[in-house]
Amino acid sequence: MARHPVRVLRPGSAVQSARKFTEKHEWITTENGIGTVGISNFAQEALGDVVYCSLPEVGTKLKKQDEFGALESVKAASELYSPLSGDVTQVKEALAENPGIVNKSCYEDGWLIKMALSDPSELDDLMSEEASEKYVKSIEE
Amino acid sequence: MPLPAVRLLWLGRARYSDLLALQEQWLRRLQVDPRPGAPSGTEAGALLVCEPAGPVYTGGLRGGLTPEEITRLRALGAEVRATGRGGLATFHGPGQLLCHPVLDLRRLGLRLRTHVAALEACAVRLCELLGLRGARARPPPYTGVWLGERKICAIGVRCGRHITSHGLALNCSTDLTWFEHIVPCGLVGTGVTSLSEALQRLVTVDEVMPSFLVAFQETFKCTLISEDSPS
């Protein structure tokens, strides 16, 4: 039986799926088959000030859980993993000049890549925002 | 509850490429998600330690070396390598204690930032054990361990799937003139120093190793285990 992601309607915007999360603290929202990927508030806080974003080129083909780049902070580079499978269609260019946007606005302006999804059903394997919050609480000291 | 065990791999004088190859092996081994019920008696990671056999300059994720610099450094007889670690350019060579802890952060109760802090604390503790006062960590962008305005220990790490790689480089009896050919860690106007310079006598990597292992176990709250035969 097909399951659909919960649809959230915002005034004046196209239908967009609710945010879903991986266990590695990346999030994805989807709209018309295009996924937007970023890192969670938990992740940006854990990183500290992001000083550099290493992101893939447009056209890169990613499988779910493939490493697609890294974020650097405090002499530490943290790898990023693709929540879903697809082709990279856009990279957030502004992060090259202003990597700190990831810290300031991890769910809005601080998105990292957009991708054309090759298998939207993979969304079912990801956690809802609520499940993600529970998961984060369970792994915190 | 017993402390997590970390496998000690002391390579002695080693080529940088050999250190990286061993690091890769351990990364592949540790990054495979453990099956549920995997015995917790297994190692939480490996501590790769060596004294670089020859001069090597490395850049990090952001780079840190221009093509012109790379040509110049190679002409000096040094290797030049790109890495995926944090931080900019640095130097590794004989007389330096180069340590790459390949650790499962979950098993050590660490986050990436506390891992970096533990590396700093380890180097500071080592200095204390050697009778050197005044070594301190400094906040970003001066991450690393300093004596006054000179850096004695550089730090740069990478983390993927909770497993760390790269680590710290502590100058014991390093020929510091190698650092004059780069801007270390991209920090213009800062200097470097070594244990030998600070203590005004020859301090070798071999002399420092036992204290380093004590400092590591203390700051990372783990037990180092080793086999008799080298890996």
Side-chain angles (χ1 to χ4, degrees):
Chain A
M1 178 152 73
R3 285 190 284 156
H4 302 284
V6 172
R7 301 218 179 270
V8 176
L9 284 170
R10 291 187 312 211
S13 76
V15 171
Q16 184 190 59
S17 75
R19 203 181 311 276
K20 298 210 85 181
F21 290 79
T22 69
E23 287 183 357
K24 296 187 186 66
H25 316 296
E26 284 98 5
W27 58 261
I28 186 162
T29 57
T30 66
E31 191 172 328
N32 301 324
I34 302 287
T36 302
V37 179
I39 64 167
S40 70
N41 188 53
F42 177 81
Q44 73 80 13
E45 272 185 357
L47 275 175
D49 291 340
V50 175
V51 301
Y52 180 72
C53 304
S54 175
L55 297 173
E57 303 210 330
V58 169
T60 304
K61 284 180 166 6
L62 296 171
K63 282 212 151 47
K64 176 174 143 159
Q65 292 182 15
D66 274 356
E67 186 214 321
F68 72 84
L71 299 180
E72 183 178 345
S73 64
V74 198
K75 300 286 177 113
S78 295
E79 293 175 9
L80 297 161
Y81 301 95
S82 187
L84 301 180
S85 306
D87 297 350
V88 178
T89 55
Q90 246 189 294
V91 171
K92 182 77 185 198
E93 308 267 323
L95 294 175
E97 289 298 306
N98 205 345
I101 301 173
V102 174
N103 298 113
K104 292 194 200 68
S105 179
C106 58
Y107 293 119
E108 302 290 335
D109 292 336
W111 62 267
L112 302 171
I113 62 168
K114 291 188 194 274
M115 51 194 303
L117 303 180
S118 54
D119 184 2
S121 74
E122 286 174 336
L123 271 167
D124 297 343
D125 299 331
L126 302 182
M127 293 187 278
S128 67
E129 184 154 3
E130 200 190 320
S132 174
E133 276 167 21
K134 282 207 181 81
Y135 171 69
V136 164
K137 279 202 174 62
S138 75
I139 61 174
E140 295 233 75
E141 271 102 26
Chain B
M1 190 129 113
L3 295 176
V6 173
R7 171 70 59 91
L8 169 64
L9 292 164
W10 162 235
L11 306 178
R13 278 232 174 177
R15 285 188 310 207
Y16 187 68
S17 51
D18 290 341
L19 174 67
L20 291 186
L22 190 57
Q23 175 175 267
E24 254 327 282
Q25 269 181 45
W26 275 91
L27 275 170
R28 277 198 300 270
R29 187 161 146 181
L30 292 168
Q31 278 176 342
V32 172
D33 284 327
R35 289 182 299 275
S40 60
T42 57
E43 294 126 348
L47 184 67
L48 278 43
V49 198
C50 77
E51 179 178 355
V56 183
Y57 291 95
T58 64
L61 183 73
R62 277 178 285 168
L65 294 169
T66 64
E68 295 75 28
E69 280 174 313
I70 292 171
T71 306
R72 196 165 32 85
L73 296 173
R74 288 204 168 118
L76 292 171
E79 260 185 81
V80 181
R81 285 276 198 144
T83 72
R85 60 163 170 76
L88 290 165
T90 195
F91 170 81
H92 302 304
Q96 191 181 75
L97 190 158
L98 181 56
C99 171
H100 287 195
V102 183
L103 305 174
D104 185 335
L105 292 179
R106 298 166 296 191
R107 297 281 305 277
L108 286 147
L110 291 169
R111 293 281 159 71
L112 187 54
R113 284 210 283 185
T114 54
H115 172 64
V116 172
L119 286 172
E120 289 175 320
C122 177
V124 167
R125 182 64 183 135
L126 172 60
C127 289
E128 280 172 14
L129 289 172
L130 297 174
L132 186 56
R133 310 240 164 272
R136 73 198 205 286
R138 286 173 70 183
Y142 301 102
T143 303
V145 177
W146 298 76
L147 277 175
E149 294 301 301
R150 295 178 185 217
K151 188 184 284 196
I152 195 166
C153 180
I155 287 173
V157 304
R158 184 178 175 93
C159 185
R161 295 188 159 89
H162 308 283
I163 313 299
T164 63
S165 55
H166 298 275
L168 64 78
L170 176 76
N171 295 321
C172 302
S173 58
T174 319
D175 177 355
L176 299 176
T177 61
W178 285 103
F179 285 94
E180 289 166 15
H181 303 285
I182 56 169
V183 179
C185 311
L187 299 170
V188 179
T190 60
V192 291
T193 187
S194 67
L195 291 169
S196 296
E197 188 175 84
L199 292 168
Q200 295 284 287
R201 64 174 181 82
L202 178 64
V203 181
T204 62
V205 174
D206 285 336
E207 180 197 323
V208 158
M209 270 302 286
S211 301
F212 177 73
L213 300 181
V214 167
F216 184 84
Q217 289 177 109
E218 217 180 273
T219 50
F220 279 80
K221 299 189 182 40
C222 67
T223 305
L224 289 170
I225 55 174
S226 58
E227 294 168 341
D228 286 329
S229 55
S231 289

